[in-house]
């Protein structure tokens, strides 16, 4: 913590030493077909996290920005997004035109370290923006993200779900929050994503090894949560959001305000609370103890000037999550609107303090990210005044990147990255699963990016070193009888993991119709603490878990190949991948019992995963505003030694969506939209040993919305329905599936958003 405060203070004192000239950006945006001005177009500079909107005549102006070449994104509903580079040293007014389009296939992404167009990125990156989260909300943010092709979720009811990217999950998917890695005991099957939609502008999902930029844990991909944008200079704005869910009788209240002074000072504060009762299955029966509640508070301050900008943010998140025990299903069902926590449940608390700073040195940039994360995880099973499993984790992280321009089209990014994590068991916890432990990560990496009009080339290499030390000398371990694997006399185990990773890729766009993408990347993951050292009961899963301290680090090489073809009314594409994994770690049950619990062991074997995502979108120009979207995703995972299937691999899935966006106004309503969605999840007949096949199902959903002017107020209205046929079904990726516990039945949500 002292290192964090010192680093921030150092930057604030010496920031003016990096001062550079200030520039400005102004211009006008018009319709490319009619030449009429376009009011309300979002003008966004992602490097600065700043933007504005065009006025009634299509004009815009952004002042006091670095005088250098920056990325500019112009976006407006019903028009094709435009992404280009602009030189803000030029004192002139730019003129831009946007072409009408029913769908947008391109947008800026930042998760590849180099800011560029999503279509031009050699790495496959999907993006879910705030508008999509509002149109298709779920009680869990991860459930909303799981609608993305190639992305699904492992769940324990609606409150606990974690990401699966192309068949790989748990600690193989890295979560990035406010620029830093978010560690919240991802190894646990009952430990979800752990973050909510509060204050999030968008979420970027990297599909494929991203170890080159993010390190261990990113061998499957990355979930990167992007913070909401700063307020416009000289303004204060805010919003209040109210949402209700019919199935779980859930409610969410979210409110925030942000401001920016003319001299570059920015601030924001936001708070949210959400509460759900037990959900109903399609049969109408209550699924007991699936209730949960969350509280979230976020605050941030920042300062920008001719030297660059800096942000300091704090997040508090409190979650109480009910856990359904298979042998007490009937006893856990209470009255319909019961929200009081009952045994067993999880009590999870997070404190996250971070800073992000950009220092401009001519055309170059130095980005510094520091973070401190404190996580408390309690699993309470036998009594409200007893903690069965209690873990306290603190993590200090750092990441320094230098962006060096090597010419108009070439950029070199070099960086150092690491974290120091300490995990401790509560002194008076009733049960112990893993020992006290520390992780010390250090790495050095370099990435070269070449971008011209038709070509983007990327390549880089990285070296990582991790030291893990498990310590079971404390009196609490002796009293409990906890033993490290192999029972060393000094009750300490130290392991070192290190090695090289590299990646290289290219995107070729010969014209506006075609896009070709290829990427070859290696990734790695050091075994987590549970896989190495677990030796005890896990209350949240009703299992006795055994690790293996001799495991080697997982290493993979993934090849990606993508193609996209676009016409004025039709676009189609495909993304193929093959993932070759050495030392893949997975969890299997045994025939051994420890008390009344089944013993589960971690195993290690070589594996392969392969599949892809396929897209077909149609937006007829004769019916402006109408679009028909289709995507199909598939993944197969197998052991390379025997050909047996891997556990918890998602079924093949075909999603369809018919959407109509209108720019018209009628009475109290303006800019209405409607979207009809279908999701055909096919039979999963590729079950792993001791895993059962799961029959397929079809889910129907509907979203409606509009801007409403009533009673002298203007607000946004969103209505969303899921599983409208009230289907009674089992999800192959649910940890409750082996117990025959179905998913949520029909659910209708209503969301009101007031802006001020």
């Amino acid at each position: 913590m002292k290192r964090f405060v010192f680093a921030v203070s150092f930057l604030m004192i010496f920031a003016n030493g990096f001062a550079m000239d200030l520039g400005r950006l102004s211009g006008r945006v018009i319709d490319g077909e009619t030449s009429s001005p376009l009011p309300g177009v979002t003008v966004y500079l992602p490097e600065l996290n700043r933007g504005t909107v065009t006025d009634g005549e299509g004009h815009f102006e952004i002042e006091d920005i670095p005088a250098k070449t920056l990325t500019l994104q112009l976006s407006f509903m019903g028009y094709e997004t435009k992404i280009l580079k602009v030189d803000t040293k030029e004192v002139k007014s730019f003129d831009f035109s946007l072409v009408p389009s029913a769908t947008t296939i391109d947008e800026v992404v930042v998760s590849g370290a180099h800011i560029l167009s999503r279509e031009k990125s050699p790495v496959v990156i999907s993006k879910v923006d705030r508008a999509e989260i509002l149109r298709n909300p779920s009680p869990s943010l991860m459930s909303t993200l799981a609608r993305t092709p190639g992305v699904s979720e492992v769940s324990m009811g609606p409150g606990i779900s974690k990401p699966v990217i192309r068949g790989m999950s748990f600690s193989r998917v890295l979560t990035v929050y406010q620029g830093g890695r978010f560690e919240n005991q991802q190894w646990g099957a009952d430990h979800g994503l752990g973050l909510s939609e509060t204050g999030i502008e968008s979420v970027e999902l990297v599909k494929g090894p991203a170890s080159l930029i993010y390190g261990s844990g990113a061998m499957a991909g990355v979930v990167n949560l992007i913070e909401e944008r700063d307020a416009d200079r000289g303004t204060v704005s805010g919003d209040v959001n109210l949402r209700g869910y019919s199935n779980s009788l859930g409610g969410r209240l979210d409110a925030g305000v942000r401001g920016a002074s003319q001299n570059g000072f920015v601030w924001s504060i936001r708070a949210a609370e959400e509460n759900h009762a037990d959900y109903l299955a399609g049969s109408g029966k209550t699924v007991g103890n699936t209730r949960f509640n969350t509280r979230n508070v976020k605050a941030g301050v920042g300062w920008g000037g001719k030297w660059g900008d800096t942000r300091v943010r704090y997040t508090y998140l409190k979650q109480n999550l009910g856990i359904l025990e298979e042998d007490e299903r009937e006893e856990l069902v209470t009255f319909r609107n019961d929200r009081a926590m009952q045994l067993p449940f999880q009590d999870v608390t997070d404190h996250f303090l971070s800073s992000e700073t950009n220092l401009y040195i001519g055309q170059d940039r130095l980005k510094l990210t520091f973070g401190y994360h404190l996580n408390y995880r309690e699993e309470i099973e036998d009594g409200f005044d007893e903690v069965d499993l209690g873990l306290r984790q603190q993590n200090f992280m750092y990441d320094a990147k230098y962006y060096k321009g090597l010419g108009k089209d070439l950029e070199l990014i070099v960086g150092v990255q690491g974290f120091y994590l300490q995990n401790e068991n509560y002194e008076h916890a009733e049960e112990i699963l893993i020992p006290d432990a520390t992780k010390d990560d250090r790495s050095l990496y370099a990435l070269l990016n070449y971008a011209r009009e038709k070509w983007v080339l990327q390549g880089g290499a990285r070296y990582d070193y991790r030291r893990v030390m498990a310590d079971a000398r404390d009196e609490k371990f002796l009293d409990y009888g906890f033993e490290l694997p192999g029972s060393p006399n000094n009750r300490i185990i130290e392991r070192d993991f290190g090695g090289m990773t590299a990646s290289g890729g290219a995107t070729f766009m010969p014209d506006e119709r075609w896009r070709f993408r290829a990427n070859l990347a290696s990734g790695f993951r050091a075994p987590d603490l549970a896989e190495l050292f677990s030796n005890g009961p896990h209350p949240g899963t009703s299992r006795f878990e055994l690790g293996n301290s001799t495991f080697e680090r997982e290493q993979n090489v993934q090849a990606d190949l993508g193609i996209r073809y676009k016409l004025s009314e039709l676009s189609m594409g495909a993304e193929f991948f093959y993932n070759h994994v050495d030392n893949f770690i997975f969890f299997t049950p045994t025939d051994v019992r420890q008390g009344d619990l089944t013993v589960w062991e971690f195993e290690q074997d070589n594996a392969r995963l392969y599949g892809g995502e396929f897209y077909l979108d149609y937006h007829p120009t004769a019916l402006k505003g109408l679009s028909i979207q289709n995507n199909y995703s598939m993944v197969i995972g197998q052991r390379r030694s025997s050909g047996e299937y891997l556990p918890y691999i998602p079924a093949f899935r075909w999603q369809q969506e018919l959407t109509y966006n209108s720019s018209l106004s009628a009475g109290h309503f303006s800019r209405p939209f409607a979207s009809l969605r279908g999701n055909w999840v096919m039979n999963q007949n590729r079950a792993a040993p001791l895993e059962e096949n799961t029959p397929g199902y079809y889910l129907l959903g509907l979203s409606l919305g509009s801007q409403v002017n009533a009673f002298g107020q203007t607000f946004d209205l969103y209505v969303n329905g899921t599983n409208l046929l009230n289907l009674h079904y089992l999800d192959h990726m649910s940890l409750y599936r082996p117990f025959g516990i179905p998913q949520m039945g029909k659910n209708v949500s209503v969301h009101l958003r007031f802006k001020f």
Side-chain angles (χ1 to χ4, degrees), residues 237-256:
S237 61
D239 59 90
V240 177
N241 297 267
L242 301 170
R243 185 186 300 161
Y245 296 90
S246 65
N247 187 293
S248 60
L249 302 179
R252 176 180 174 85
L253 171 62
D254 180 326

Side-chain angles (χ1 to χ4, degrees), residues 567-579:
L567 295 171
S568 60
E569 294 187 341
L570 182 72
S571 62
M572 62 184 73
E575 302 285 350
F576 303 95
F577 72 92
Y578 181 84
N579 194 354

Side-chain angles (χ1 to χ4, degrees), residues 233-365:
R233 290 287 177 96
T235 66
V236 175
S237 61
D239 59 90
V240 177
N241 297 267
L242 301 170
R243 185 186 300 161
Y245 296 90
S246 65
N247 187 293
S248 60
L249 302 179
R252 176 180 174 85
L253 171 62
D254 180 326
V257 62
R258 53 183 175 158
S261 67
Q262 291 289 358
N263 64 2
F265 178 75
V266 297
W267 57 271
S268 64
I269 186 167
R270 182 170 290 276
E273 182 161 1
E274 188 162 357
N275 191 285
H276 292 262
D278 298 337
Y279 75 82
L280 301 178
S283 63
K285 293 188 63 176
T286 301
V287 181
N289 208 23
T290 53
R291 63 197 65 178
F292 67 97
N293 60 72
T294 65
R295 290 181 179 177
N296 200 182
V297 177
K298 301 174 68 170
V301 294
W303 176 40
K306 58 184 180 179
W307 52 270
D309 60 79
T310 189
R311 306 283 187 280
V312 178
R313 301 183 179 100
Y314 168 73
T315 297
Y316 166 80
L317 179 61
K318 180 78 166 179
Q319 302 176 84
N320 287 324
L321 308 161
I323 299 173
L324 173 59
E325 290 198 331
E326 192 272 336
D327 56 352
E328 296 183 4
R329 273 187 278 178
E330 298 302 324
E331 292 85 347
L332 292 172
V333 176
T334 57
F335 64 90
R336 179 73 182 98
N337 197 28
D338 187 4
R339 298 163 188 273
M341 298 311 299
Q342 57 182 357
L343 303 173
F345 71 96
Q346 294 183 48
D347 188 340
V348 185
T349 305
D350 289 283
H351 301 271
F352 194 84
L353 179 65
S354 69
S355 75
E356 290 185 273
T357 301
N358 291 288
L359 301 174
Y360 293 103
I361 309 168
Q363 289 294 310
D364 299 340
R365 177 165 62 110

